[in-house]
Structure formats: structure tokens, C-alpha cells
């Protein structure tokens, strides 16, 4: 950590800062420049959360040196984490496709979709039984009945299931039926939920919050990893910006940044990150080209009848075309979309 | 709801959209202009969530006409909601000051602060027993022991207590000790928590998410109100923008906007909305001038020793100066800060 | 245009709005719903700028129906605009690479770079002679001497030249030496400059402002096109968001959105859109996968000695690797990077 | 400047960075911690623009220590700059009101407004003769004829004139008629224009760009000051965020931040910063409470007939009420709105 003193800071203020630091067991190194006095702070190798020193008189700013995430960082683990999902490996050479409806709405809707996405080349089925909705008056999901349908779809197709838990109490229930517990964007900093997911015994898929920095996202990952659960996948789903021709802005930079900083697999959800089906396929291609380990795509047999997210859902036919294109792209970057079994 | 068709949309596409709408029981009104065909959609008076119609061929965009919040809106209730807090009324002519430490850290820290803020003019004491922290390695709060200290501080000073619950299970516990259940910014769309708070039997203070639009904030309020709990206060605490000289950007516009759209009281938290104690008092003044019904301010006897948010905490002396200034401001806008008892 | 009246708007307010509209020659259509009265406004087919009607009592909001750009829109011209650049065509099946240093710094720096990027596969040379710099104390470019060096580099390599003009007076000078006049991100709404570029007789490359919406970008294009200059290329270069691990956020969504809305070619500048050389190649790949018609990449023989943007510049060796990867990607999406001649 | 090396950086990479720094004449100080090696870089007291060192292998990040602005900083000049405007002083104890129409539209419109705002208490008249418009099809201003009308309004009322120049060539013309040359938000980084304004011989009012950080804004100020023109006023006018219930987000934090960092006067434009007349008065009050040295407010006799910005313009009656409220607020913070003469 580096503390920069104000230009006008006097000797007694500097001494008080040093005393406060040393009182907490830190070593300090003083560098008195012409324009600013700078205090280097050396701890025990762990990141220091030092914002409170901005409360001391004469302190201009506190600059961290270390990144705050540890377990999620490539420094801690240089080789990629690979999460096995019923014979498919996420984080290795394969590019994995997870597809399915936003919400489980009915048996026929789900089974029709599950068969279609499997045939097109998906390796896992997504579907929400508990839905976080902005409005209390919107459809909130089928709950456990939806999970039962997901289990039935797995039995029918062999596809592993990804489904969201919205609160710590729901985690055991979701983990009983689903193969992967998803943490949604709105829950990325629901710390009790992160802990519960870490203890679920299931792989976890952690979506980035729509206004979370990459650093905060990796810190959320840290909550899961700190429970001893290493089977964690990240998923970029677009961030909120001033641009309103699309629902969110796909932060495509985040793909190589996360691959650089972390050993965790990272997927892209082009459905949420664009918010409009017209743009989903182009952005799916971009994700794979940028190095994503997989895609998570919303598919619905009749999007205009969907109870949620219809505007961004692909029909099964459009999804099949997406798979064809993504397959070619994956090969161009030396990877492979697994064949439909 | 208004549906705008693309310039190139053909008659069969238009007919299909109308059929889809009428199949759901909506009436439609077609307006075929030179450049665009526009379909007006009339429902039963409730907002229509119609994004899924963007999935239909030829649809360019779907524009809502009605705002989605109902119980929180001034249309539903023209007169201001006033929430009573141990004899102080939030949402009426008074400007209410809530102050205290970010976290409850120890008995002496809390009691010292409680007496100081009361003397300075605060009407309620804030203090966190459960703390949402970006890092799993940071101090996470004292838990129930912290709530017990808050109850002791109330007994000693008479100040009502505001404290945060982070998950549905914590709500009954917090509600047992505290007078107001706070929902933090990171939890603004934790819908299970919102429902639990709505059922807590306590007044609720709902902070705006750092990434939430005003509309989403009022929709979160709707979740609380829909449980039959009308004692709800809103609190602006800054939004996330590209500007990084301050920790957040105070959305001062939100104060008059919320007062215009809603009957609910709205407070400002200048500590989080600036993130730096140096700027807290100026922005506190601005909040009162803009029409806020109160302020929530972080105060710590020794900010540089705080276990959280030290950089934005005022000392008791600085808080006392803030109160003096805010008192003058309140009178200039025809309101009043209650006298310390 | 649609005008939504407030719930509380009375008959006289509605009548006043209609009178104001009809007084300006618009036809109106009134739709009195249970919750809101909505007034449809029909003009002569051109977009109506109607925000001033929000000044009338009882008006809740004004919603435009038409998009404001015309010449830039696909409705006006369904087929792609193709801009010829010394035998290379931008906007057709080829994916065009423009590369070179941020600033022209010296004869040797420029010629070394020009030969290297040509050999690697670039179709055009970029280089700034006039540099917009945040600080008045930073290097501001070599001016006309830089343009002379660019002309020399063209003579030596055959590569057409792209160079920026920062003010209307500079346009004729830049147009005398360069093959393409670039409008930089900070100048995207320098309307006098846009008009001058439109009159320059040269193709124009218009970068998106770092906080410009796609709509504003296309309106800036409209200024150029309205001068009768159809040879216009757009270039996405990243937008400003809250994320600070990268200098900007690449708005990859903008590529398919612009291709959908407009007939103009669109390029991606992954150097500015990431701000860090480490991430340039991955995002360049993503751009081509998303459908960009070309890339503009900063290359410097010794980035750490660059007078501007060194941190995001590729060495010639890294650029050559980028070209190899992008070439494979282009083929996977059915396009082609032209061979080095 | 501080350079943080990657965890994995080897001795030869560190040596190469030090060699590069010392080759440019900087002194370095090496601090080899357990987790990171940190290199302190000491220059000649001026800010170092060191981003190009991120191009060197093994460099994780470059952190500036000094702020890049000098002439605009309080370190350079501790006491407030006061700009005299026909007997009114901006930056001293007075709170100065500048009011008038967005655009000069006609003689009667301007004179009616000028007399009204003078009577209400304004100290200067604003009005645009050259208008930056997003659309080339919108009204672009009356040009010199508008400036002549402004001069006539000054003669009639005694109010000094504030008017915008959009390009360097317009500066002498605007400076001939107006008392203050305004640089608009879209031109904040039009560096040729900033230089021309610095040489105009007139006080300059520099609006913050809607996408500009406070640091960039002060660097734009630096361009003006570096021409030897100290009569510079800043004006916050709202920044662009994700919130769309208002046209912009008033960055009220910027008022105390700029007063802290700089000696320059800072005004607030609540018309643009809210974009809706309904909210202008509340935010104007907030600006004065936060410490703004003045306000710039759009006033139009018939806002719904305005050729630009009607939705955010106050009628003269509403402006008069704003002045009454602001006057009370100013007194509550120990300042004074000058009486109408």
C-alpha cells in the first residue's frame, strides 16, 4: 500500500500517519519528494485494506499495491481450473454451450427445448425455477415443481442442469436437483448466498453483477472458493452503461482480463449481454473469439410467449445456426465445440 | 404500451403482432404512418411487461406507457407517507438526522458515539451488526452481540436504532433489537429479503443500489409495500459512474425525482455517496436543500481506527458542525431539524 | 412521436397540448386510457424533435417513434456502403487492417513501422500528426512535418494513409497529404469539423466518442453525409464505464447494432478500446467475429519509448501474430484479410 | 510515479524497467516486497506521464502520484480566483445568477427574457448564437445576428453577456460582442478552441464535458490558463450515467471536490444537469448549498415554443421563484445573491 500525503502536509501529520501505521504492525518507508511525501507500507504479504487512513489529516490518497483476491488469482494457481460437467470439461480446450429457457414454464416447453438444444449441440441445459424479477407482479418461477421438470429433462436427454438459487435456504433444494448452482447477477454480492453455494457440494456458476467491477466479481468468487469449493465457473453477462440501444453492454474485454488474472473458467451469456435476439449470435461468436470457455444462451420454442426474457431468446432453429457458426469460430482459435451425442 | 414496427415490416408481420396481442386479451389500435406503423396496446390499466413482443418479426421496439410501480406512486397515494420513529416523524416538516458508526465494533465505541451524536442533534442511531463486505477476509460484523450493544445504546440515550439485515433469516433477529430494519445497497434486489422485511413488523429503510435506476428502486419498494408494510423510507447513497475522485456519485437529482413520483420519505447518505469525509458536510447540505427528508451519516470517534468505512466517517466534532449547518439550511427551506432532547 | 400525459392531467391541459401541436402543423390522435391519455403525433415523415412539449403542464413524457438519422440508415440505403482505399474495399467481404503508430515521432520510427505493418498484412497506415492530448504539457504532434513523413511512408510502401484532423482549418492540410481524414473520439461532436471533413473530398473515418450513444454517433455521421460525402467509415474505440481494469470498455454490441441500423462500414480499434497491449489481440479477434469490416491497431517498434499510447501499442512482432490469428477468424466467418502485396 | 511489477517478474525484467527509467533521467527507488516489487520513480517535480512503461515486460501497473494539473490547482494558488463581471464578482462571497434562453431566437424573445431575468435578480444574461446540435437538421443558432441582439440586450439592461463559441474562428467574433466566452460541454476537449479562448482577452466559462472526469476538466482549464488568461470560471452541467429519468446526473460532489482541488470559481447549471424544468429549482438550491459560486439557468418566455431545450427552461415567473429560494439558501451558507439593480 502507498499513502500519498498532501502537498501541504506538515511533519507532524506525516509522523502521525507513520505512528498509526506502525501501531498496526506495518513497516513503512518514507520518500520525501519535492512535491509530495509518499509512504510505502509493507505488511505481511496480504492485501491491506487501508482506506481508513484517508481519515487522517494530511492524507491525499491511499493506493493499494496488491490485488485483493488470492484464491481466484493466477498467482496462487497458474494452471487453469477445469470443471467437469457430466463428461464435458469447462476450462479446457472445449468450448461448452449451455442453453435453455430463461424460466421453466411447463413440461412441454422445457422438454421440447431440452431435446432441441441437445440436438443442436448444447452440453448442458439451463432453466430457472426461482426467478429474480424487478417487479413483484411478474412471474416468479415455478419453484420446486420447476426443478422436478429439470430433473425429468435431464433424465430424458442426459444433459446436466444449471439452475439458479436466489437465497441461502434455496441452495440445498437447487443442489438436490441441479448439477450446477447458478448465482445470478443481482445476487453477486449476496454474501450469505455465496457462502451457501460454496458449501453446496455442487459446481457453481457465478454471473457478474451488472455494475460490478472485475475486481468485485473475483472477490465474490473468493467467497465461494474460501468455503473449499474449487469447482467454480464465471459468466460475463453484460454491464450497465449509458448505451440504451442494447439492454446491457457486453464487456468483451472482461474475457481476456479474467483469463489473465484468474485460473477460473469464464463463460459469456450473449442473451443478457445484448438483450435482443437479433444481436445474440454475433456476440456469441465474439465471445468465443475472445477466449471464452463457453456460452450460456437463452432458447425458447416460442419467444413471444415466454414469461420472461422473450425478447432476447433464440428459437431452436436460430440456436442451431448459432452453434454452426460458433463451431467454426472455435476451430479457428484452436478449440472445439463438443459434438452432440 | 406502444409497439413500433420496423419500416420494412409487412402486412403479415403486423397482423401477426396484432394477433399475438389480442390472443392475450389486449385491445389494439393501429396507426399506419408514412414511416412507421405504430400499434397502441390497451390493457386493463395495469402496466404491461411486453418485452417479449420484441421477439416477433418486424418489431422495432416496445415502449411502455405506464410506470411499473403502483403502491409506491403518488398516483396511488397523493399525500406524503410519514413514518414515526420514537416521536420523530420522517416525511413531514422535520429533517431527521440518523448517525452512528458504520459497524458496531465495541461497547465503548458505540456508547461514546451514541451519546455524541445525540448531543449534536441526531434523532436516531445507526450501526451495523451484520456487514456486507466485498472481501471475505474483512471484518464481517459482530452479529447478535452487536445488536445487543445497540439495544444498550438505545436504553442509554433514548435514540431509536437503525440496523441492517443481510438475509431473510436475519430479519427477525434484527427486528427484535432494532427499531428500523435497513436493507443495504447491495441487497436492494434481494427479493426474498425485501419480502421478509415487509413482514418484519418494523419500519424499513431501503437504500438505493449503486447500480439501480430510480425505477428499479421504486420497484424494490413495491416488494416491501406489497407485503402490507407501509412504513418504508428510501435512502439515496450514491451511484456508480466513471468519476473516480469520489467513491460514488451522489445522484442529487434523485431527491426531487422521487419526491415527485412517490409519496415515500427519501433520505440522503452523504457518507457513502461521496466516500470521503472531506466532502460529506457539503453534500449533506445539498441533500437538505434539494428536499431530502433526512440524512444518514457515518460517525466514528476515531475514524482511522474504524474497521470499515473510516475514510468517510466524521468525528463527533465534525458531525456537530454538520448539524449546525444543516439546521440553518433546513430553516431556509421552511423545515426544521428537531432539537436534541 | 407519442406524448404521454400525467395521470392527473385535466381536459384543459390535454386541449392545450393538442392546440400547441396542431399550431405547428402536426396531426394528432388522442387515446384516452384508464390510466393515461396518450397523444399520437403525426408529422411529415421526418423525425420530430419534441422535447419542448415537456414544458407544457400535464405532460409526463415525450417518446420519439422515428430514429433521428436518415442518410446513415439502412432504410435510406439497404445495401452496404463500400469505401475504396487504394484497391482495398472497406465494407465488402474483406476485413481491412489499418495499423501504425499513435503519433508520428520521427522518420525512422514511421518508416520502420510502415514497412513492418505492410509486411504483416496491413492495408493502410495510420499515424497522427496532430494529437489531441488531455494535458497541454504532453507532446502535441509533429504537425505538417509529420504529414510529410506520412506521405514519404506511402511513397515507400504503397500504403494509403489515415491521419487525424482536429479542427476545421486543419482539414485541407490533412486532406492534402492523407488518403483518409480521421475524426477522433474527442471530436465526434465537433460539428464544424464534421462539416469540414464532409467537404474535404476524402474518405472520412469517424471514431465514436467515448461517451457517445450509438444514436449520437450516427447523427455525427449524418453531419458528414449531409455535405454530400458518402465515403464514410465508422470506428468503435471503446466507451467509458465504471470498469477500470481496462482503459475503456469495448462495446462489442455496437458492431452488430451499427451493421443492423446503418449501411456504413464499421471498424474496431482494439488498442484504444482496451488500453493495454496484453488484451489487444483477443479483442481484435472478437471484433472480426462480431462482424467488423476492419481493425485499426496501434503499432510501435519500441512501445515504451512512444510519445503517446505506448501502453496499448503492439510491437511489429505482436502485430504479425495478431494478423495471423485474425486471418483465420475472418475465414471462419466467411471473409478474408487481403494478402500483403 | 509508482511502478508495480507483476508477481512473476524476474530480475532481468526489473532491471530493464529501471534502465528504461534512468535512461530518461528519472531516479528510482526499489522496494522488493514479499508479493510485489515496487519501483518509486522520482522526476523533477512535474507529473510524469508514464503509461508507456506498461509496455515493458513484467509491469503490472503504473500509478501516478502527482495530479496532472498545475496552474488550476490550489497548491499553485491557495486563494480563490475572483472573476469580475461588470461589478459582480464570481468566486467571492456573492452567489451569481446567470440566466437567459438556450438560443437567441428573436429580438422580442431575447429582450423580454433579458428584462425579466434582470428584474428577478440575475447578474448576467446567457444566450447562444452558435448552437451545437446533435442533429444537422436542428436549428443551429442565429450566428452574428444573435450576437448583435445580445449586445442590444446588454445595452438595454446593463447585464453582461455570456455566449458560446464552438470553433477557434468564432472566438474573436464572440469576444467582440460578449463579455464572457463560453466553452460548451461537447467542446471541453476541443483543444484548439481552448487555446483560442485563452487568447481571447475575455473571461472564459468552461463547462464540464458530459463524459469528462473532474481531472480532465481541470486539465482543460489548464489549456486556457496556460495561455495566460486567469479569468476562468468552471461550470458543472451534469454527467452521463445509466439513470434515464433525468437527462443527465448532476454531479453535486464535483462542487466541493473542485473547490478543494482548485482555486477557480465553479458554477452549476441545473437546467442541463436535470434536463427537466420540474427539477431545476431543487437542484439549483442544492448547488448553492454545496458551495457553488453561482448558477447558470435557462429561462424562456414560452418554453414550449423554444427552438432548443424547451423542456428544461423555466418561465420568467418560475425563475423569479427560484431566485427567492436561492437567496434564502445563500444566506444560510453565509453568502449573498446580489440585489437586482
Amino acid at each position: 500500500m502507498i499513502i500519498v500525503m498532501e502537498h501541504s502536509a506538515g511533519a507532524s501529520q506525516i509522523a502521525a500517519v507513520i505512528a498509526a501505521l506502525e501501531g498496526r504492525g506495518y513497516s513503512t518507508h518514507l520518500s520525501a519528494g519535492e512535491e509530495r511525501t509518499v509512504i510505502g507500507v509493507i505488511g505481511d504479504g496480504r492485501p491491506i485494506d487501508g482506506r481508513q487512513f484517508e481519515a487522517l489529516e494530511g492524507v491525499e490518497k491511499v493506493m493499494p499495491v496488491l490485488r485483493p483476491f488470492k484464491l481466484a488469482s493466477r498467482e496462487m494457481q497458474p494452471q487453469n481450473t477445469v470443471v467437469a460437467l457430466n463428461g464435458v470439461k469447462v476450462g479446457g480446450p472445449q468450448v461448452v454451450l449451455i442453453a435453455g429457457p430463461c424460466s421453466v414454464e411447463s413440461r412441454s416447453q422445457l422438454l421440447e427445448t431440452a431435446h432441441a438444444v441437445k440436438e443442436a449441440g448444447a452440453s448442458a441445459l439451463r432453466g430457472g425455477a426461482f426467478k429474480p424479477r424487478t417487479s413483484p407482479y411478474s412471474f416468479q418461477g415455478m419453484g420446486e415443481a420447476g426443478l422436478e421438470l429439470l430433473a425429468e429433462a435431464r433424465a430424458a436427454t442426459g444433459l446436466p442442469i444449471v439452475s439458479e438459487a436466489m437465497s441461502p435456504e434455496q441452495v440445498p433444494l437447487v443442489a438436490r436437483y441441479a448439477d450446477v448452482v447458478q448465482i445470478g447477477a443481482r445476487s453477486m454480492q449476496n454474501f450469505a448466498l455465496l457462502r451457501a453455494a460454496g458449501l453446496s457440494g455442487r459446481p457453481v456458476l457465478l454471473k457478474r453483477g451488472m455494475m460490478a467491477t472485475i475486481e468485485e466479481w473475483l472477490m465474490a468468487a473468493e467467497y465461494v472458493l474460501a468455503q473449499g469449493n474449487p469447482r467454480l465457473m464465471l459468466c460475463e453477462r453484460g454491464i450497465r452503461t449509458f448505451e440504451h440501444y442494447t439492454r446491457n453492454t457486453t464487456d468483451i474485454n472482461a474475457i481476456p482480463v479474467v483469463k489473465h488474472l484468474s485460473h477460473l473458467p469464464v463463460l459469456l451469456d450473449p442473451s443478457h449481454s445484448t438483450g435482443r435476439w437479433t444481436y445474440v449470435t454475433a456476440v456469441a461468436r465474439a465471445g468465443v473469439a475472445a477466449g471464452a470457455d463457453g456460452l450460456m444462451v437463452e432458447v425458447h420454442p416460442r419467444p413471444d410467449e415466454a414469461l420472461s426474457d422473450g425478447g432476447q431468446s433464440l428459437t431452436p432453429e436460430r440456436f442451431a445456426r448459432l452453434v454452426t457458426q460458433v463451431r467454426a469460430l472455435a476451430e479457428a482459435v484452436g478449440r472445439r465445440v463438443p459434438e452432440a451425442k
Side-chain angles (χ1 to χ4, degrees), chain A:
Chain A
M1 186 172 69
I2 308 284
I3 294 183
V4 180
M5 301 297 295
E6 288 176 2
H7 180 70
S8 60
S12 66
Q13 290 177 334
I14 294 167
V17 172
I18 290 174
L21 291 162
E22 298 189 340
R24 277 168 189 76
Y26 299 128
S27 308
T28 60
H29 174 273
L30 193 71
S31 168
E34 196 177 325
E35 291 289 323
R36 287 290 186 288
T37 292
V38 172
I39 304 171
V41 185
I42 299 121
D44 59 0
R46 287 179 306 172
I48 307 170
D49 178 11
R51 278 192 65 244
Q52 79 268 24
F53 298 110
E54 292 187 349
L56 290 170
E57 298 279 352
V59 172
E60 182 171 299
K61 59 179 169 181
V62 175
M63 301 191 296
V65 165
L66 299 184
R67 288 180 174 132
F69 43 89
K70 302 296 282 181
L71 302 175
S73 78
R74 271 215 188 272
E75 294 167 26
M76 179 64 90
Q77 178 190 314
Q79 76 281 13
N80 285 343
T81 285
V82 176
V83 178
L85 221 60
N86 279 25
V88 177
K89 290 190 163 71
V90 187
Q94 293 180 324
V95 172
V96 177
L97 306 185
I98 304 172
C102 177
S103 305
V104 180
E105 296 168 4
S106 70
R107 188 170 180 275
S108 63
Q109 172 244 19
L110 186 67
L111 288 176
E112 180 180 349
T113 310
H115 285 292
V117 301
K118 184 188 178 174
E119 193 174 336
S123 291
L125 178 68
R126 62 151 290 156
F130 299 102
K131 298 302 306 172
R133 302 305 300 275
T134 302
S135 169
Y137 312 122
S138 298
F139 174 63
Q140 309 274 323
M142 292 181 69
E144 188 163 2
L147 292 170
E148 286 167 1
L149 291 176
L150 286 164
E152 184 181 345
R154 176 177 48 206
T157 61
L159 294 176
I161 300 299
V162 180
S163 199
E164 176 168 353
M166 286 171 58
S167 67
E169 315 87 88
Q170 290 174 355
V171 170
L173 183 66
V174 171
R176 190 152 73 240
Y177 290 96
D179 300 274
V180 176
V181 175
Q182 177 180 322
I183 308 293
R186 284 175 182 74
S187 304
M188 195 202 84
Q189 291 195 318
N190 184 335
F191 301 115
L193 177 59
L194 293 171
R195 282 198 200 89
L199 295 169
S200 67
R202 290 288 187 186
V204 175
L205 189 149
L206 176 62
K207 299 191 96 174
R208 180 181 182 183
M210 75 182 74
M211 213 142 178
T213 62
I214 292 172
E215 187 169 296
E216 288 167 342
W217 189 19
L218 291 173
M219 292 308 291
E222 203 80 6
Y223 268 91
V224 177
L225 297 170
Q227 304 302 320
N229 185 346
R231 296 192 291 163
L232 178 57
M233 298 167 278
L234 302 174
C235 184
E236 162 71 28
R237 46 79 72 209
I239 58 173
R240 179 165 276 180
T241 70
F242 62 87
E243 176 56 58
H244 280 239
Y245 266 36
T246 50
R247 189 178 179 194
N248 292 292
T249 295
T250 309
D251 184 2
I252 197 77
N253 293 356
I255 305 293
V257 171
V258 167
K259 296 302 288 181
H260 179 74
L261 296 174
S262 178
H263 51 85
L264 295 169
V266 62
L267 290 80
L268 176 66
D269 170 350
S271 307
H272 283 89
S273 80
T274 61
R276 187 88 202 246
W277 69 267
T278 328
Y279 306 127
V280 167
T281 302
V283 171
R285 292 193 311 254
V288 173
D293 295 304
L295 299 171
M296 181 140 102
V297 182
E298 290 190 343
V299 177
H300 194 286
R302 286 162 299 280
D304 66 297
E305 297 179 8
L307 297 178
S308 57
D309 282 353
Q312 69 197 32
S313 295
L314 297 185
T315 58
E317 297 70 35
R318 287 173 183 149
F319 177 66
R321 287 198 288 274
L322 175 151
V323 178
T324 304
Q325 294 183 25
V326 160
R327 203 180 287 284
L329 257 296
E331 281 159 24
V333 296
R335 303 181 79 172
R336 205 169 58 76
V337 175
E339 289 301 319
K341 287 174 196 168

